[in-house]
């Protein structure tokens, strides 16, 4: 096992940009917050001798103003990484500016090595300065504590405040004679502590004043006066008057004496506010002869662990709030510092409500029961109110909504929960947040059932592109795909939802999805993202399209339709939510690229806007889905359904003046409805096979437990698929073992995929958890591998450490389809008969 703190996953020959995220963040924060001799500017000075890494003064001037709202340290690391700096080089340069790389996991533990030791004896006179020097190396950086013994043999006492490599005591007296030794340590293991050999210090009377013939000089006299003023302040005036006749000898000293006000405490602790769970420190600064003794008090009560110049609290709680002061005593003078107030701070941002899990849609039969649940996180108490179809449900004010033994069809509808702060808090805005809607559908025969048509299956492919390489980012696709998927699932559609696909990924997804299609199947295709129209053909822009993309670099919507038509479904609904303006570059493509398909009497097209016009989004929803969402579950013919959408647009002038949907249909059976009931009779075998195929797209990793026996910590991993290529990972610490303040997260993931959004903290049954969303699952070429990292405080030394363990999660969701591979045969030959194309059976 590697030394504690050393991250075995770091490649020291690799680029800085390949550092695990948590290590990169720690280095960035150190460079941002350290003093000037150890910050990002110091690192620039350290590497500027190498022309490869020299940073221009212009860049430094641009980064400097950003320190209040950005990270100049992060900018510097990114710049050095882009210029080829390796992790090993970064470690060497961080050591040069005295940043402890052991705590970052970049260096293994190194035992203390004593290079320079104090002498075994030292002879001094009264008033001289005692200076003992140590030079030691090791990782982590050595820490020091000096001890003093009067007889030089035993009964050593800690010299409070003397914790540097150099011990310096000015104006020593015979009371300072004795033995001195230094304890050097760099970890919590007492066996690795080093003690220096004893230095015996003898102090003799100063020969200048031994026989009374050589009085002290002005400098010595000022020191003597400061000591006398502390012991007998009333004698000061008489002493000064007695020196008036000797102004020639002590004139300069008299001027300094009148300004001396001897104080033991030179710096007082300040009032602070602290967030619960964070650390804080109170400090008092002193001057005068050692040994100096300190005793801290909180609310007038002595603190047993408060006997130093600083008082540290690692993890603050309610009991740590209050009034603090310190009494300082060096045997000559005793003083009490000012009282500092430590108060809890409540940030408005921390009162934000985060919904961790949303209620899920369900399909029930007559007499069934439903349970809707919502899980929310906030450090303040929360209240809940459930709604049905937008109206509050009386008495339903818990995080769970139970509906048992449903006997009425009126229970069917959309359920949603509003989460808000339970009670108003001074200084915090009243906050509330709505969960996502969940649909309760009852499988109860109704008079509106369309008994004319019964498809053998219903399938839907929904693609939303928002994060483009060369186009502006869109806000609507993610929420529109999610909401439409919820509605379609409530109508028994098998739904495949994919976000942010490249051109080969779209084409391969279409061909793979076509395996779910057969005769008498309803097919719905929805694309939301950037697009354009050329020669009457709509083109869907993939996320990897270049800035000046042409038709050849995009996906032909009619080619998508062609792949569906080959399976001869009963109904195809194409919903194209894109702009229909001309493209940026005129295409030189072969005319076959723009072929339109022969009418087969089974296709309806719903375009978000008309030819030559743009499509718009409002906040987090596109205008088309804004009007489609309330109507799509309506049990009416599909042509009538989309006609009603156009009518709804005209009811909102600010929408209809900007965007007007277009409906095209060649349906020979326009009364077919998206709500038509599935009939499995006679199609059981194909239905079961399609079920197996669809299920294979949505296999999640099994829940598992990861143990860290070194510290006794146990972590549980749970998973949830929000989309077919987006996996939510819940990392929950179920046993903290022997450590404090333990949290678990993902510190590293497989190449090509990345984290979606921010990491979210939550609590589940009083256990700390993190929610991390992993996107682009379809890009996995090998198994999904993640590093589970726990960070914790070790009780013995109150230092924060981390441990990492690698976990293989297999190929979840759609990753096994290898959609990233180059697509082939996306455009089927037109000359082949349709019957021959059916040979690629399901």
């Amino acid at each position: 096992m590697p030394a504690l703190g050393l991250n075995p996953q770091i490649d020291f020959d690799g680029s800085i940009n390949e550092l695990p995220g948590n290590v990169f963040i720690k280095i960035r924060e150190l460079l941002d917050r350290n003093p000037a001799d150890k910050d990002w500017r110091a690192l620039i000075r350290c590497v500027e001798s190498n022309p490869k890494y020299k940073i221009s003064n212009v860049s430094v001037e641009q980064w400097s103003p950003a320190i209040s709202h950005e990270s100049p340290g992060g900018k510097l690391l990114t710049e050095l990484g882009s210029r080829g700096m390796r992790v090993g080089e970064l470690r060497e340069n961080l050591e040069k500016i005295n940043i402890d790389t052991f705590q970052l996991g970049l260096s293994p533990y190194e035992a203390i090595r004593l290079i320079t030791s104090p002498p075994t004896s030292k002879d001094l006179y009264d008033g001289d300065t005692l200076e003992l020097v140590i030079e030691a190396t090791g990782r982590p950086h050595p820490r020091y504590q000096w001890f003093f013994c009067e007889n030089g043999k035993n009964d050593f006492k800690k010299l409070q405040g003397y914790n540097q490599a150099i011990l310096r005591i000015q104006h020593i007296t015979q009371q300072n004679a004795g033995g001195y030794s230094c304890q050097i340590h760099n970890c919590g293991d007492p066996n690795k502590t080093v003690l220096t050999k004893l230095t015996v210090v003898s102090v003799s009377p100063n020969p200048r004043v031994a026989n009374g013939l050589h009085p002290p000089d002005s400098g010595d006299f000022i020191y003597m006066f400061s000591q006398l003023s502390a012991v007998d302040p009333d004698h000061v005036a008489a002493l000064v008057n007695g020196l008036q006749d000797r102004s020639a000898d002590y004139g300069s000293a008299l001027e300094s004496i009148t300004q001396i006000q001897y104080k033991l405490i030179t710096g007082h602790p300040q009032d602070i506010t602290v967030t619960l769970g964070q650390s804080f420190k109170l400090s008092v600064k002193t001057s005068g002869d050692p040994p100096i003794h300190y005793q801290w008090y909180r609310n007038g009560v002595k603190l047993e662990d408060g006997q130093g110049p600083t008082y540290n609290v690692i993890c603050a709680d309610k009991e740590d709030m209050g009034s603090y002061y310190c009494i300082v005593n060096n045997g000559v003078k005793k003083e009490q510092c000012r009282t500092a107030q430590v108060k809890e701070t409540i940030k408005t941002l921390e009162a934000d409500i985060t919904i961790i899990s949303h209620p899920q849609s369900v399909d029930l039969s007559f007499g069934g029961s439903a349970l809707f649940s919502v899980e929310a996180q906030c450090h303040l108490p929360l209240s809940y109110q459930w709604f049905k179809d937008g109206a509050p449900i009386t008495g339903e004010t818990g995080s769970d909504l139970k509906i048992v033994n449903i006997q009425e069809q009126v229970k069917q509808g959309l359920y949603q929960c509003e989460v808000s702060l339970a009670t108003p808090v001074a200084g915090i805005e009243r906050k509330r947040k709505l969960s996502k809607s969940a649909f309760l559908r009852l499988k109860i025969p109704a008079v509106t059932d369309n008994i004319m048509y019964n498809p053998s299956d219903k399938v839907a492919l929904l693609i939303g592109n928002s994060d483009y390489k060369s186009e502006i980012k869109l806000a609507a696709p993610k929420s529109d795909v999610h909401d439409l998927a919820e509605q379609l699932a409530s109508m028994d559609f098998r739904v495949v939802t994919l976000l942010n696909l490249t051109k080969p990924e779209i084409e391969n997804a279409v061909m793979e999805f076509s395996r779910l299609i057969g005769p008498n199947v309803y097919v719905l295709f929805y694309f939301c993202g950037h697009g354009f129209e050329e020669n009457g053909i709509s083109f869907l822009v993939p996320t990897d399209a270049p800035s000046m993309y042409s038709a050849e670099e995009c996906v032909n919507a009619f080619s998508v339709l062609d792949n569906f038509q080959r399976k001869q479904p009963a109904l195809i609904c194409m919903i194209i939510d894109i702009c229909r303006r001309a493209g940026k570059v005129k295409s030189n493509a072969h005319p076959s690229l723009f072929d339109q398909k022969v009418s087969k009497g089974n296709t309806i097209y719903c375009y978000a806007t008309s030819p030559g016009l743009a499509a718009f989004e409002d906040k987090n929803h596109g205008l088309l889905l804004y009007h489609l969402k309330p109507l799509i579950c309506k049990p009416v013919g599909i042509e009538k359904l989309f006609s009603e959408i156009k009518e709804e647009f005209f009811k909102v002038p600010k929408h209809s003046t900007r965007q007007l949907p277009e409906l095209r249909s060649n349906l020979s059976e326009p009364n077919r409805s998206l709500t038509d009931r599935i009939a499995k009779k006679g199609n059981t075998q194909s239905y079961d096979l399609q079920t197996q195929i669809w299920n294979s797209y949505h296999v999640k990793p099994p829940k598992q437990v990861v143990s860290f026996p070194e510290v006794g910590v146990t972590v549980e991993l749970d998973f949830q698929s929000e989309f077919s290529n987006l996996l939510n990972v819940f990392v929950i610490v179920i046993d903290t073992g022997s450590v404090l303040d333990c949290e678990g997260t993902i510190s590293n993931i497989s190449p090509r995929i990345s984290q979606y959004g921010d990491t979210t903290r939550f609590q589940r049954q009083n256990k700390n958890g993190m929610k991390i969303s992993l996107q682009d699952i379809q890009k996995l070429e090998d198994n999904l591998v993640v590093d589970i990292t726990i960070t914790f405080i070790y009780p013995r030394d109150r230092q924060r450490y981390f441990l990492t363990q690698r976990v293989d999660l297999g190929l979840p969701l759609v990753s096994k389809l290898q959609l990233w591979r180059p697509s082939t045969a996306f455009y089927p030959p037109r000359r082949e008969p349709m019957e021959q194309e059916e040979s690629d059976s399901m």
Side-chain angles (χ1 to χ4, degrees), residues 109 111-112 184-194 796:
Y109 174 80
I112 294 171
I184 311 172
H185 59 100
N186 67 346
C187 69
D189 188 349
N191 296 323
K192 297 180 180 179
T193 299
V194 174
R796 181 180 296 176

Side-chain angles (χ1 to χ4, degrees), residues 19-67:
L19 278 169
N22 63 329
V23 178
F24 185 92
I25 291 172
K26 287 181 181 179
I27 300 174
R28 181 188 69 191
E29 291 178 348
L30 287 173
L31 294 175
D32 286 344
R33 299 175 183 177
N34 275 352
D37 60 335
K38 298 168 67 175
D39 68 352
W40 60 281
R41 295 181 183 85
L43 182 56
I44 290 178
R45 293 191 294 270
C46 186
V47 303
E48 66 181 358
S49 59
N50 188 333
K52 179 180 178 181
Y53 304 130
K54 186 173 179 61
I55 308 298
S56 68
N57 292 330
V58 175
S59 297
V60 175
E61 293 302 321
Q62 290 175 343
W63 295 348
S64 297
I67 196 169

Side-chain angles (χ1 to χ4, degrees), residues 653-786:
K654 69 176 183 178
H655 290 177
S656 61
T657 55
R658 304 175 70 192
Q659 176 177 333
L660 183 62
E662 181 183 7
L663 176 65
R664 296 183 186 179
S665 174
N666 60 30
L667 292 179
S668 57
E669 297 170 320
N671 289 327
R672 287 189 181 271
S673 170
L674 297 178
T675 61
D676 289 346
R677 298 290 182 86
I678 294 174
K680 302 178 186 176
K681 186 176 181 180
N683 302 286
T684 304
Q685 185 175 359
S686 61
Y687 184 87
D688 291 344
L689 179 58
Q690 290 164 340
T691 300
Q692 183 180 356
I693 294 172
W694 183 85
N695 287 338
S696 69
Y697 301 163
H698 299 88
V699 176
K700 299 178 294 182
K703 183 185 296 186
Q704 54 188 284
V705 173
V706 180
S707 298
F708 294 84
E710 302 93 333
V711 289
V713 173
T714 303
V715 174
E716 180 183 82
L717 302 183
D718 199 1
F719 306 92
Q720 182 186 70
S721 59
E722 189 172 352
F723 296 87
S724 302
N725 65 335
L726 191 148
L727 182 69
N728 293 329
V729 184
F730 298 88
V731 184
I732 307 165
V733 179
I734 58 178
D735 189 349
T736 58
S738 61
V739 301
L740 305 173
D741 192 25
C742 184
E743 289 184 339
T745 187
I746 294 177
S747 60
N748 195 16
I749 56 177
S750 296
R752 303 192 69 185
I753 69 172
S754 59
Q755 181 173 338
Y756 184 91
D758 297 326
T759 300
T760 305
R761 286 182 169 84
F762 67 92
Q763 280 195 334
R764 180 178 296 174
Q765 298 178 347
N766 296 323
K767 305 294 185 182
N768 291 330
M770 295 276 197
K771 175 189 174 185
I772 305 100
S773 297
L774 303 181
Q775 63 180 346
D776 296 330
I777 296 296
Q778 79 281 357
K779 297 184 185 299
L780 282 171
E781 296 184 9
D782 299 301
N783 285 5
L784 173 58
V785 177
V786 299

Side-chain angles (χ1 to χ4, degrees), residues 458-606:
K458 297 190 291 187
V459 295
L461 174 61
L462 315 182
I463 299 176
N465 277 2
S466 58
D467 296 336
Y468 281 88
K469 180 177 72 173
S470 303
E471 277 282 6
I472 60 171
K473 185 174 181 178
L474 300 175
K478 180 177 183 290
S479 55
D480 282 353
V481 167
H482 179 277
D483 291 348
L484 183 56
E486 287 278 335
Q487 299 280 61
L488 293 173
S490 71
M491 295 186 289
D492 290 334
F493 271 83
R494 303 181 198 272
V495 184
V496 178
T497 55
L498 297 168
L499 299 180
N500 298 318
L501 300 188
T502 63
K503 184 174 188 289
E505 290 170 353
I506 294 176
E507 294 174 348
N508 284 324
V510 169
M511 289 189 289
E512 182 65 34
F513 174 77
S514 297
R515 297 175 62 200
L516 299 174
I517 305 174
N520 201 30
V521 171
Y522 287 6
V523 180
L524 186 143
F525 175 77
Y526 172 74
F527 179 86
C528 181
H530 286 296
F532 64 94
E533 189 164 286
E534 186 173 341
N535 294 332
I537 305 297
S538 293
F539 287 88
L540 319 178
V541 179
T543 56
D544 60 340
S547 57
M548 298 299 291
Y549 48 78
S550 64
E552 295 90 334
E553 293 157 325
C554 299
V555 178
N556 185 326
F558 279 110
S559 295
V560 175
L561 173 63
D562 186 275
N563 281 273
F564 299 158
Q565 291 283 23
R566 295 169 64 192
K567 299 302 181 72
Q568 299 181 348
L571 174 68
I572 300 177
C573 176
M574 302 283 290
I575 304 177
I576 311 297
D577 195 351
I578 62 172
C579 296
R580 298 180 68 189
R581 291 172 173 168
K584 296 182 177 182
V585 177
K586 185 68 175 177
S587 174
N588 296 319
H590 189 273
S592 62
L593 182 65
F594 304 99
D595 283 352
Q596 298 193 26
K597 304 304 163 190
V598 177
S599 171
K600 298 182 184 301
N602 65 349
T603 306
I604 184 169
Y605 311 83
C606 178

Side-chain angles (χ1 to χ4, degrees), residues 354-365:
T354 302
I355 296 182
I356 305 301
S357 62
H358 298 264
Q360 301 295 315
S361 298
V362 293
D363 293 341
L364 296 175
S365 300

